[in-house]
Amino acid sequence: LGQAGIGMTILLLTLPALIPIPGPFGMVFGSLIAFVSAQLMFGARRLWLPDFVRRRPLPTSSVVAMVDRGAPLFSRVEHWLKPRRMLPLTGIAGRMALGAPLLLMGLAVALPVPLGNVPPAASLICLALGLMLRDGAASLLGLLLAVLAALWFVILFFFGAQMASALWAFLGW
């Protein structure tokens, strides 16, 4: 997939993080997103994987199922995307700069915060689509969503701390 491979990988790693089930899914997929984002920050044009991972074939049935489920959604979103729009955000320097918010959103997905995965995942999806199709407007929307996701985390932490404090006071601790 060349340069689109990094965006596609981020998109594929983000989708399972949206599933609201308990367990280590967010931590695993968020960490993998952070790993890919760090490569982008350092100027990688293609995804680097260790040999033992790169040599393993993907199960065909899983790939076909993922494409079948994702194709209708992607076709609905695709008419909004325009390749080569706002080129400064899609060039080498722009891609490297997008690595930092991608990394932060990947780390946010990895945190075990209730209701915390959806805002960073929305940002990651926009940023990934922007990287895949070289659409700077999608990347800009992803950056805006990243700021909103950061605010969401601040609100969750603030109110979570306030609720814990009130509970401790109620219990007399």
Side-chain angles (χ1 to χ4, degrees):
L1 293 173
Q3 287 187 359
I6 291 177
M8 177 67 83
T9 303
I10 291 171
L11 180 66
L12 293 177
L13 292 172
T14 301
L15 295 178
L18 284 171
I19 301 169
I21 56 175
F25 290 104
M27 187 180 343
V28 170
F29 289 107
S31 300
L32 291 172
I33 291 166
F35 173 72
V36 173
S37 301
Q39 292 182 38
L40 190 63
M41 282 176 58
F42 290 108
R45 292 176 186 247
R46 296 180 48 204
L47 181 65
W48 176 85
L49 294 171
D51 273 345
F52 73 92
V53 174
R54 193 178 35 207
R55 282 184 275 149
R56 293 193 69 185
L58 290 172
T60 306
S61 60
S62 299
V63 173
V64 168
M66 202 169 11
V67 168
D68 286 345
R69 288 185 184 150
L73 177 63
F74 191 71
S75 66
R76 279 187 262 158
V77 172
E78 193 174 21
H79 77 276
W80 292 80
L81 301 169
K82 293 183 177 53
R84 306 187 61 76
R85 183 169 43 176
M86 299 176 77
L87 284 177
L89 285 173
T90 62
I92 298 297
R95 290 170 54 89
M96 289 174 68
L98 289 176
L102 282 164
L103 179 71
L104 292 174
M105 292 298 105
L107 294 174
V109 166
L111 293 174
V113 177
L115 306 174
N117 280 5
V118 175
S123 170
L124 285 166
I125 288 170
C126 285
L127 289 167
L129 290 172
L131 287 170
M132 286 171 49
L133 297 173
R134 298 190 65 189
D135 184 354
S139 297
L140 196 58
L141 177 62
L143 290 172
L144 174 67
L145 290 174
V147 169
L148 294 175
L151 289 172
W152 177 248
F153 264 84
V154 168
I155 290 169
L156 284 178
F157 283 124
F158 176 74
F159 285 116
Q162 292 296 323
M163 286 176 41
S165 175
L167 179 63
W168 288 332
F170 177 75
L171 295 174
W173 292 350

